[in-house]
Amino acid sequence: MVGFSLFFVSLHRFLTSDMKYYEVNMTIEPCSQDAQDLLAALTAEAGMETFEETETGLKGYAQQQLFDEDAFQQTLAAFPMEGVTISYNVSEAEDKDWNEQWELEGFEPIEVRSKTEDGRGERLLVIHDGRHLPSDISHQSSALMIEIDAHMAFGTGTHETTRMICRQLLNMPLEGKRVLDCGCGTGILGICALKLGADSCVGYDIDEWSTDNTRHNAVINRVDDRLESLCGDATLLCSYAPEFDVVLANINRNILLQDMEHFVRVMAPGATLILSGFYQADCQMLADKAITFGLHPVTTTTDGDWACCLFR
């Protein structure tokens, strides 16, 4: 499985739960990475929660009671890539301990590099699972090291969107800042901010497994005294004042549009909002929404088809 296959919800959460899921095998002709990424983003709105790449397309997984096959078929019929056709079949998902498989395999160290402000040097962030760290990396005293025990939650640094936000954080003065991590997954973004000097972080996620994993990773990285992890959606923010200096959200476009009002309400004067989890084509839509809340676009970075936007 590739990075984006963890993009929406952890495989562990449903394949080891009591809920029943459908496995939807989608064949894309001709098959390409762009078509796979776009299909994953679009079919999420029909109830798909996570995806696995195949040689001919994608496998998607959806709760049986939430799968909207009519909406799914409409999405396929209106697929926006010219010359691409998609067929599919539906079956019940196999019960399998995906979490055990993930823990056995882990992931190779990921390096995120960013130029220093004067342009003469480079800052290095290394994300690793504690088992595959080569000695030539572990002995780099200048590197910022983050250990992530992922447990199948999204956010190991393998995905372009995670790396882009980490790169933005490497470029920011974070000393003393209060950070909010929306849809925290493994907690990697909040942990990164804390290791770069942020004073505290509040993270939340709709998946209880993710919030537990965030706490676990905070302990591993010795920042648990400064990181609070909550289970719920953006309505949790109603109990917070406008107190956050940096707000991070690596979530799909529709959720960002829906929740942006909540983000802005808890931002302190002069605060920064960093958004990712969407395609370059979505940037203008998100910028237009942000402007209605008094935010100003500062910069946009891209990695492949994915984008990351910074607002103040």
Side-chain angles (χ1 to χ4, degrees):
M1 295 198 311
V2 296
F4 87 88
S5 64
L6 306 180
F7 190 66
F8 295 101
V9 177
S10 83
L11 272 169
H12 170 88
R13 188 182 80 173
F14 66 85
L15 289 176
T16 59
S17 74
D18 293 331
M19 293 182 289
K20 295 296 183 181
Y21 276 74
Y22 286 128
E23 177 182 290
V24 183
N25 197 345
M26 294 165 273
T27 300
I28 305 171
E29 297 181 357
C31 186
S32 67
Q33 186 69 64
D34 287 345
Q36 289 170 318
D37 287 353
L38 184 56
L39 183 60
L42 294 176
T43 57
E45 297 180 25
M48 296 292 176
E49 293 189 1
T50 195
F51 302 88
E52 180 182 358
E53 272 193 347
T54 66
E55 291 184 1
T56 58
L58 285 178
K59 286 182 182 178
Y61 299 88
Q63 288 186 46
Q64 292 184 10
Q65 62 184 9
L66 299 180
F67 180 49
D68 186 342
E69 191 163 5
D70 288 339
F72 177 77
Q73 290 176 345
Q74 291 173 19
T75 296
L76 299 190
F79 194 69
M81 291 184 68
E82 187 175 352
V84 173
T85 60
I86 302 166
S87 58
Y88 75 98
N89 62 71
V90 180
S91 60
E92 289 199 2
E94 173 191 3
D95 290 329
K96 184 176 181 180
D97 192 346
W98 289 94
N99 188 60
E100 180 182 2
Q101 181 176 336
W102 171 258
E103 290 182 345
L104 288 173
E105 294 177 357
F107 62 94
E108 293 298 316
I110 297 123
E111 296 185 18
V112 179
R113 297 179 182 273
S114 178
K115 293 289 185 182
T116 56
E117 290 184 2
D118 59 13
R120 297 179 180 178
E122 187 176 60
R123 302 191 77 178
L124 172 62
L125 166 68
V126 179
I127 305 161
H128 64 98
D129 66 0
R131 293 172 292 170
H132 301 89
L133 192 60
S135 59
D136 60 332
I137 294 179
S138 62
H139 290 132
Q140 292 188 45
S141 58
S142 61
L144 176 69
M145 312 293 288
I146 298 179
E147 181 177 342
I148 295 295
D149 188 5
H151 287 186
M152 289 302 288
F154 176 69
T156 61
T158 59
H159 198 274
E160 294 92 332
T161 59
T162 307
R163 295 197 303 267
M164 282 190 288
I165 294 182
C166 287
R167 194 169 291 114
Q168 290 282 9
L169 293 174
L170 284 171
N171 288 326
M172 294 177 64
L174 291 170
E175 290 76 11
K177 302 293 186 183
R178 183 164 169 79
V179 176
L180 173 66
D181 184 2
C182 310
C184 54
T186 63
I188 184 173
L189 299 179
I191 291 169
C192 180
L194 291 170
K195 286 207 161 189
L196 286 167
D199 184 65
S200 63
C201 176
V202 174
Y204 71 85
D205 200 294
I206 61 170
D207 181 6
E208 186 175 0
W209 183 261
S210 292
T211 56
D212 289 344
N213 192 210
T214 290
R215 296 186 193 98
H216 173 66
N217 287 320
V219 171
I220 292 174
N221 289 278
R222 299 180 181 178
V223 296
D224 52 301
D225 58 331
R226 294 183 287 144
L227 193 155
E228 181 181 10
S229 180
L230 306 172
C231 187
D233 59 21
T235 59
L236 287 170
L237 301 178
C238 293
S239 61
Y240 287 87
E243 58 192 85
F244 295 102
D245 304 297
V246 180
V247 176
L248 312 171
N250 187 12
I251 317 174
N252 73 69
R253 181 200 67 190
N254 291 341
I255 299 299
L256 292 175
L257 291 169
Q258 171 185 296
D259 291 350
M260 196 180 299
E261 182 176 7
H262 294 287
F263 303 161
V264 175
R265 195 187 61 76
V266 297
M267 292 172 66
T272 298
L273 174 65
I274 304 177
L275 304 179
S276 196
F278 50 88
Y279 296 102
Q280 293 185 45
D282 299 321
C283 289
Q284 190 59 54
M285 183 187 304
L286 287 160
D288 291 344
K289 184 79 168 182
I291 289 169
T292 67
F293 292 121
L295 297 176
H296 304 282
V298 177
T299 184
T300 296
T301 57
T302 59
D303 190 338
D305 292 329
W306 300 94
C308 176
C309 296
L310 188 149
F311 303 91
R312 287 201 180 92

